[in-house]
Amino acid sequence: MSTSLIDNGVNVEALLGAREALAAAPEAAQFHWRARCEWVNGTHSRTTVHDFSGLGAEHTHRERFTFEGDHPEVFASEDHGATPAEIVLAALASCLTAGIAAVATNRGVQLRSVTCTVEADHDVRGILGADPDVRNGFNGVLVHYTIDADASREDIEAIVAQSQKRSAVYDILTNPTAVTVDVN
Amino acid sequence: MSTSLIDNGVNVEALLGAREALAAAPEAAQFHWRARCEWVNGTHSRTTVHDFSGLGAEHTHRERFTFEGDHPEVFASEDHGATPAEIVLAALASCLTAGIAAVATNRGVQLRSVTCTVEADHDVRGILGADPDVRNGFNGVLVHYTIDADASREDIEAIVAQSQKRSAVYDILTNPTAVTVDVN
């Protein structure tokens, strides 16, 4: 099956070209993502994403993307935004879904629809300090895809597995990352 | 210093009450966060967050929160949203910042302004499959706070450290979480 017959809106040729080019130029592959956060009031904050560097240059997004974070009313907050925990789930879903579109295109599979639900179990005794044996983060996360595509169930499962294998956010959740927090 | 003299917009009494109540009722502390993602086109997806469960009941946010995820033009995409990697940074910043407001209030510290920058180093050879020895996720993350508050530098640093110690998203990044991905 030729990829030229399908159109998922992914430029796979450019990605394959980037893979080849960056394998030979590792310094260009070093990206620096940035976010700026401002406390609004209570547990409400506003984070903006605008510029990043990579390919040896500075770049700006086409627009400034803004994220409102807050806690819900059941935590005695004002619910002006999603919880940080839910924002993590949005990151995971968007990463895996982009990967599914890219891998499907590379394999000549036309997608018609891709949806997923993400669920995270979270024992909030950790963040409340109610039990030192309970971790602060999730106990586990389940991502459940429903995909309509011109492919067998086995091929669809293999596309999802390959997206998972190359997902930045899946890796960030399942493996440790060093995070340094300091004060100016 | 009395917490009644300061107002950061955080209801610390309610949080302390929840800590006590949930220590004695662990089943009520089990929260389930949910997100639903829909592929739009190419690497662009839309994730919505609306309902969750906890305290033994179902809850809905005051509104439906939406996250557009995409890849930038330097990845041959259309840049309709932040990258999933940047969305992770927004989650981390909002989690730590909410914690700073809560801890400062608990310690009787009036905040005037809290801002942070978050930077992540990311070698994209991992996600491109250009080098099997490069991980898909970040090489590291640096969060840098600037805080104006009625407190000494040492007290401010201790507030930030305590927020970090109780942060769900800091834990999610720095420690492994089990993530299961399946197809309907």
Side-chain angles (χ1 to χ4, degrees):
Chain A
M1 199 182 294
S2 163
T3 58
S4 64
L5 299 176
I6 62 133
D7 183 8
N8 293 320
V10 178
N11 187 339
V12 165
E13 290 72 18
L15 292 176
L16 296 175
R19 174 161 75 186
E20 191 174 354
L22 294 178
E27 71 287 351
Q30 309 308 313
F31 275 66
H32 304 276
W33 305 109
R34 302 178 192 120
R36 290 174 181 81
C37 180
E38 184 176 15
W39 174 60
V40 179
N41 187 51
T43 53
H44 179 204
S45 68
R46 185 170 295 125
T47 303
T48 56
V49 162
H50 190 223
D51 53 273
F52 60 94
S53 72
L55 307 180
E58 285 289 320
H59 307 277
T60 53
H61 284 291
R62 294 198 313 163
E63 56 182 286
R64 197 176 299 271
F65 300 113
T66 302
F67 302 86
E68 307 284 334
D70 201 356
H71 289 177
E73 291 173 338
V74 292
F75 287 174
S77 282
E78 294 187 353
D79 200 24
H80 291 293
T83 63
E86 292 165 319
I87 300 174
V88 169
L89 301 186
L92 178 63
S94 62
C95 195
L96 290 170
T97 301
I100 287 168
V103 174
T105 306
N106 193 37
R107 296 183 180 187
V109 171
Q110 179 65 50
L111 298 172
R112 282 184 291 267
S113 72
V114 180
T115 61
C116 72
T117 58
V118 191
E119 292 189 275
D121 290 336
H122 192 195
D123 185 337
V124 300
R125 289 180 298 167
I127 53 175
L128 285 169
D131 186 334
D133 293 333
V134 175
R135 69 175 291 187
N136 296 319
F138 300 140
N139 294 324
V141 177
L142 173 63
V143 186
H144 195 61
Y145 271 99
T146 302
I147 297 176
D148 182 17
D150 278 332
S152 68
R153 179 180 174 83
E154 290 67 29
D155 286 349
I156 290 172
E157 287 176 345
I159 288 166
V160 172
Q162 180 63 24
S163 170
Q164 194 176 338
K165 188 179 167 191
R166 284 280 159 251
S167 164
V169 180
Y170 177 84
D171 179 27
I172 289 166
L173 266 65
T174 55
N175 295 299
T177 300
V179 178
T180 302
V181 182
D182 66 22
V183 183
N184 202 19
Chain B
M1 200 180 293
S2 164
T3 58
S4 64
L5 299 176
I6 62 134
D7 183 7
N8 293 320
V10 177
N11 186 340
V12 164
E13 291 72 18
L15 293 176
L16 295 175
R19 175 161 74 185
E20 191 173 354
L22 293 179
E27 69 288 352
Q30 309 308 312
F31 275 66
H32 304 276
W33 306 108
R34 303 178 192 122
R36 291 175 182 80
C37 180
E38 183 176 16
W39 174 60
V40 178
N41 187 52
T43 53
H44 178 204
S45 68
R46 184 171 295 125
T47 303
T48 56
V49 162
H50 190 224
D51 52 274
F52 59 95
S53 72
L55 307 181
E58 285 289 319
H59 307 277
T60 53
H61 284 292
R62 295 198 314 163
E63 57 181 286
R64 195 176 299 272
F65 300 113
T66 302
F67 302 86
E68 307 282 334
D70 202 356
H71 289 176
E73 291 174 337
V74 292
F75 287 174
S77 282
E78 292 186 355
D79 200 23
H80 290 294
T83 63
E86 291 165 319
I87 299 173
V88 169
L89 301 186
L92 177 64
S94 61
C95 196
L96 291 169
T97 301
I100 287 167
V103 174
T105 306
N106 193 37
R107 297 185 179 186
V109 170
Q110 179 65 51
L111 298 172
R112 282 184 291 267
S113 72
V114 181
T115 60
C116 72
T117 59
V118 191
E119 294 190 275
D121 290 336
H122 192 196
D123 185 337
V124 300
R125 289 179 299 166
I127 54 175
L128 285 169
D131 186 333
D133 293 333
V134 175
R135 70 173 291 187
N136 296 320
F138 300 141
N139 295 324
V141 177
L142 173 62
V143 185
H144 195 62
Y145 271 98
T146 302
I147 297 176
D148 182 16
D150 277 333
S152 69
R153 178 182 175 83
E154 290 66 31
D155 286 349
I156 290 172
E157 287 175 344
I159 288 167
V160 172
Q162 180 62 23
S163 171
Q164 192 176 339
K165 188 179 168 191
R166 285 280 160 249
S167 164
V169 180
Y170 178 84
D171 179 26
I172 289 166
L173 266 65
T174 55
N175 295 298
T177 301
V179 179
T180 302
V181 183
D182 66 22
V183 183
N184 202 20

